[in-house]
Amino acid sequence: MANITFKGNPVQTNGELPETGQQAPDFVLTKTDLTDLPLADLSGKKVILNIFPSIETMVCAESVRRFNEAAHSLDNTAVLCISRDLPFAHQRFVDKEGLDAVISLSELRSLDFGDRYGVRITDSALAGLLSRAVVVIDENGRVLYTQQVPEIGQEPDYETVLDAVRTMDKNTSFEDVCTKMPVGEHARFDDTDDACDDGRAGKI
């Protein structure tokens, strides 16, 4: 489980984020029009999972605004904004902010996402909600980068996430991605993935 904080108080999740280099766990989430979106539908795209407790809070809302702005400059990339909020709440925010480059998703019909990605908060007043985290998935469905934000009241490190995405293109190997990203800010892979294993940092 991840040990994080909310307003300085310890909070635990039900697990850890997926390991870099592994196939991203499958999921099905619900869009604002109440249709379901499986991860498999995004095959061949880079995917950013912006995960957070609730769109109704200031920090979560700001993360969606920031990723929506960034998404305009990212090629072949789907940015998913994911929480336990009902699709109607997501739609209200999309309409109010005029968002046009992210996909807002709810755990309306299944809780598999939070369980499979290890982001379900298990204690405190936020129990049952999702922690604040970001996962980057490459075009082949493998986890390239993860970021578990240590304090729920803090925003993600956007630039490190975007750097991870920008290092990828369809002709770039995992080895190339690792060497291009700054030390301490890139995903670390095991030898079994035939990618870099130089001891540099992975998750932040």
Side-chain angles (χ1 to χ4, degrees), residues 38-115:
L39 177 60
D41 282 4
L42 302 174
S43 178
K45 290 181 176 286
K46 308 168 213 172
V47 181
I48 299 174
L49 309 181
N50 175 33
I51 307 161
F52 51 85
S54 175
I55 194 63
E56 306 281 5
T57 65
M58 181 174 63
V59 177
C60 301
E62 182 60 19
S63 74
V64 176
R65 294 187 193 100
R66 292 286 298 273
F67 277 117
N68 184 77
E69 180 181 359
H72 288 99
S73 64
L74 300 175
D75 294 331
N76 192 40
T77 303
V79 181
L80 313 185
C81 295
I82 303 166
S83 73
R84 286 287 307 274
D85 295 293
L86 291 176
F88 313 113
H90 278 292
Q91 186 64 64
R92 283 195 301 271
F93 186 76
V94 168
D95 292 343
K96 176 185 175 183
E97 300 290 331
L99 305 181
D100 60 357
V102 297
I103 302 173
S104 296
L105 295 168
S106 167
E107 280 195 311
L108 175 66
R109 298 189 176 101
S110 171
L111 301 182
D112 286 349
F113 175 81
D115 296 337

